[in-house]
Amino acid sequence: MRLKPVPDPPDSLDELRALQRAVPLVPGSTDDCCARLRERRGLPDRQTANDWLAFLRALGLARETPRGFVRADAEPTPERVREGLREGVLLVPEALAALRDASPEEPLTPADLFAATRESVPRHDRARDPNWEATWRDRADRLLRWLALVDLAEAIEPGSSGNSEPESVAYVAGDAA
């Protein structure tokens, strides 16, 4: 099962490690874990903490047990995060395929990724969110930034390509792709 939440990526894997360490070693309820994440990492609200908990689970850095969530005995190495993204996060395989097709002359933008995956957005997300397109465009941007954090994508700065969106960052496949 692939999970949908894709929080804003941290600046480094050290920050991801700190988020993982905020998940308890002794299983706790979702509410307890979210409260702990908010308190220890300064997250703004329960929904953000819940998204992080689900995302850490998708990366294999947290586990859900019958008694609640617990920190996994895995380090957030680039390899572990790459594997977790590939195996556990919705639309990552599609994003990686689009990155393989991208080039410096025609890099992949978040808008391009959204357009390529638009039909794959779950129907219930479309039905319950009147702004689902903006929500999923933002998700595409965050997803590409996560892929860049672990070298599955490489950002091309504005103005350095023939991209039709000169002010946006675009991407090509990274060294680890």
Side-chain angles (χ1 to χ4, degrees):
M1 177 174 95
R2 294 184 189 273
L3 299 175
K4 289 185 300 188
V6 177
D8 276 321
D11 292 331
S12 71
L13 291 182
D14 287 338
E15 291 179 42
L16 179 60
R17 185 172 291 108
L19 279 153
Q20 179 199 24
R21 290 206 170 115
V23 177
L25 289 170
V26 175
S29 70
T30 301
D31 285 341
D32 290 345
C33 288
C34 287
R36 185 175 159 130
L37 279 166
R38 285 186 69 196
E39 176 185 309
R40 293 190 177 200
R41 300 310 311 153
L43 300 178
D45 54 49
R46 187 192 185 286
Q47 184 59 52
T48 302
N50 192 59
D51 287 351
W52 268 109
L53 192 57
F55 192 72
L56 290 168
R57 185 174 145 226
L59 297 180
L61 300 174
R63 292 184 296 112
E64 187 172 12
T65 71
R67 294 181 43 217
F69 285 90
V70 63
R71 183 183 329 156
D73 188 22
E75 283 293 312
T77 62
E79 296 80 14
R80 168 78 249 153
V81 175
R82 284 183 208 121
E83 179 184 338
L85 287 166
R86 285 182 182 120
E87 301 297 321
V89 179
L90 187 66
L91 303 180
V92 167
E94 293 85 344
L96 292 173
L99 284 164
R100 282 190 295 274
D101 292 340
S103 69
E105 296 76 30
E106 292 187 36
L108 182 70
T109 66
D112 295 334
L113 180 57
F114 170 71
T117 58
R118 177 187 180 124
E119 297 306 314
S120 299
V121 173
R123 248 185 249 150
H124 63 274
D125 282 339
R126 296 171 190 230
R128 74 172 179 209
D129 181 358
N131 297 318
W132 70 271
E133 291 175 330
T135 300
W136 281 78
R137 271 190 202 93
D138 289 345
R139 184 188 186 278
D141 174 63
R142 292 189 307 273
L143 183 57
L144 286 168
R145 289 187 288 133
W146 270 102
L147 296 175
L149 179 67
V150 293
D151 298 325
L152 288 170
E154 180 182 337
I156 295 177
E157 292 301 320
S160 65
S161 74
N163 180 12
S164 64
E165 300 174 41
E167 296 304 312
S168 70
V169 175
Y171 300 84
V172 294
D175 293 336

